[in-house]
Amino acid sequence: MKPGRSSERAVILAPNGRDATVAEALIREAGYFATVCADFAQLVSEVESGAGIAVIADEAIKSVNLRDLDRWLHNQPVWSDFPIVLLTRQGGGPERNPDAARLRQVFGNVTFLERPFHPTTLISLVGSAVRGRRRQYQTREILEDLSDSQAQLQTALDAGRLGTLELHLPELRLEVSETTKACFGRQPHDSFTFAELQASIHPEDRAQRQRALDATLTDGVDYNVEYRCVWADGSVHWVETRARIVRGPDGRPKTLVGVSVDITTRKTADIERDKLFNQLTFERAALAELTATLEQRVEERTVELVKESAARERAQEQLRQAQKMETIGQLTGGVAHDFNNLLMAVMGNLELLRKRMPDDPRLKRLVDGAMQGAERGASLTQRLLAFARQQDLRAEAVDLGTLVRGMSDLLDRSLGPRIALEFDIPEGLPPARIDANQLELAILNLVINARDAMEDGGAIAIKLASHSIKRSVGALKAGDYLKVSIIDNGEGMSPETLKKAIEPFFSTKPVGKGTGLGLSMVHGLAEQLGGTLELTSKVGQGTTATLIVPATTAAPVITEEVEPERQEARSAVILFVDDDPLIAMSTAEMLEDLGHKVIPANSGRDALDILRSAQPIDLMMTDHMMPGMTGIELAAQSREVRPMLPILLATGYADLPEGAHLDLPRLAKPYHQDQLRDRLEQLLG
């Protein structure tokens, strides 16, 4: 974004090292604009020409005169609070550095970021600052509109030749416009006090005007009176004044505000007098009715606006947090998908290598070690996809009590002898709609977290309960749910730690003791199932982690372990579509190793050309995320060419995009050769 009055770009001053280059690259990669400044003078110039945020390294301003920037910040309009991110060395924050505290007073809206910083932290700060700057620009537009409205009001007053007046109470100090002075025969530069106004009134009209004023000041009625005034040259003129009491916070009259107009012409026109009088009477009645209705509407609307403002502030805070987590989730899901593709190539080649290498124990150990590392990587990507709510789930009706009881032996082995495990599982609970395997992993993860919080031993309780929601609350829709609570009496968490507990890669464990993805994975799983994860904790009083999952009226699924009868695989011609050459090579090798003939295609369009040919094809296997044409789009178009062709979708994503109506069998990446063989045998019969 170029400089300008609504620019959102970031200007960067970090002359030493690669901080400026790194910060610019990160900011641009996140979708924002950035300008690197060579020196402080250029920084000030870029800020003055229009920017959304400044990122400054502390060493760049230690020996420069901050006067120009300080003057610009001091002279900001009332709507502006320009944000600055100050990059400091470790220990350079305001808590331990007096110079940093001084810079906070100079810069005002400044955030300190200690180096080395995490890229996500910098992007989060820049994103928050840009959104704040955007709201400042919106405030500016509102103020400009308000100024235009005031100008329009003055234009309307001038067009109607209406003069304004304000009588400040109780000191009776009068302020009038030039038009009002003209009504009483005064020049713009003449003084005009309340006493002078009283003295200018025609003697015959003073009593009735005073009665109207007394009634307004005493009873609060509208001040609406016509009277004659005598100018300095002795001429008599008619003035009409309308005003209303404005009360202070204590309810007492504070100001009488109104307008005055010279009605001499109307009053002296005998022919039009009666007609104008009747019209004025009618207009007064209509105006009184409109005023009463308007007052009521204004009061009702004011109450509504106060409520809406409070609700909007709460919603904005929730929205900011949700957007933050959604952004992190999207980034995490994309990274996990790329990792899945890489692991797919690694695991496929390792499996083929293990089958074809010589019978050397040392080589076998090396390959097995590499395969274990790849499996751990696949487990990590599953956690990332769980947090991003993109893992492949098989949600079905499950007896939650039976599932938890069946985990008792596993949990006892995981906890050890120093942790007492208790169960509170009432009878008659409805089935839960969950993925049993993933929920077992989530419960195990929460129990191990509780164990790690009790270094000296303790007790963990697992409690199940029904839960009903009458109206939607946050991510939970109205309906019936089940609660799985894991309660420990460990050290607990502070409010600050609890607030960040489900953020990815946040961990209170020592380095090497955890990835920081456990709670993130559990939270993502719960939301993907249609529930949520709630955490409550107090330091020294333990922690309660509650998984809320949807209940169902369907009968629980009873699974029986039956060894499938292995049929002799038949050789098939398989059209394999994938734009990644590493995956294409390893998967084609696995397919050929299974005895199939592979026809490769690196895009959806190439695959369609092959399908339109006379080439015999028994099955098409395709990736989903491909440039130009996705796997879903390819499958839809292939139905028009070969309607009965079996199609297998190999992807790392859980859900098909919105609007996809094809119910395709899927194979989740990364997969083993055995999984590939079983899926193909199912489809090829």
Side-chain angles (χ1 to χ4, degrees), residues 355 566-567 569 590-591 594 596 667 671-684:
K355 294 177 66 174
R566 178 72 65 185
Q567 298 180 358
M590 285 195 291
L591 290 171
L594 293 173
H596 302 297
L667 183 60
Y671 47 82
H672 294 285
Q673 189 178 30
D674 289 343
Q675 295 171 316
L676 176 60
R677 179 189 59 214
D678 293 343
R679 210 72 175 99
L680 292 177
E681 288 180 356
Q682 293 174 3
L683 295 175
L684 294 171

Side-chain angles (χ1 to χ4, degrees), residues 264-278:
T264 302
T265 302
R266 176 165 56 85
K267 281 290 185 180
T268 55
D270 294 337
I271 299 176
E272 298 295 330
R273 180 179 302 163
D274 293 338
K275 185 184 299 184
L276 291 175
F277 177 79
N278 294 334

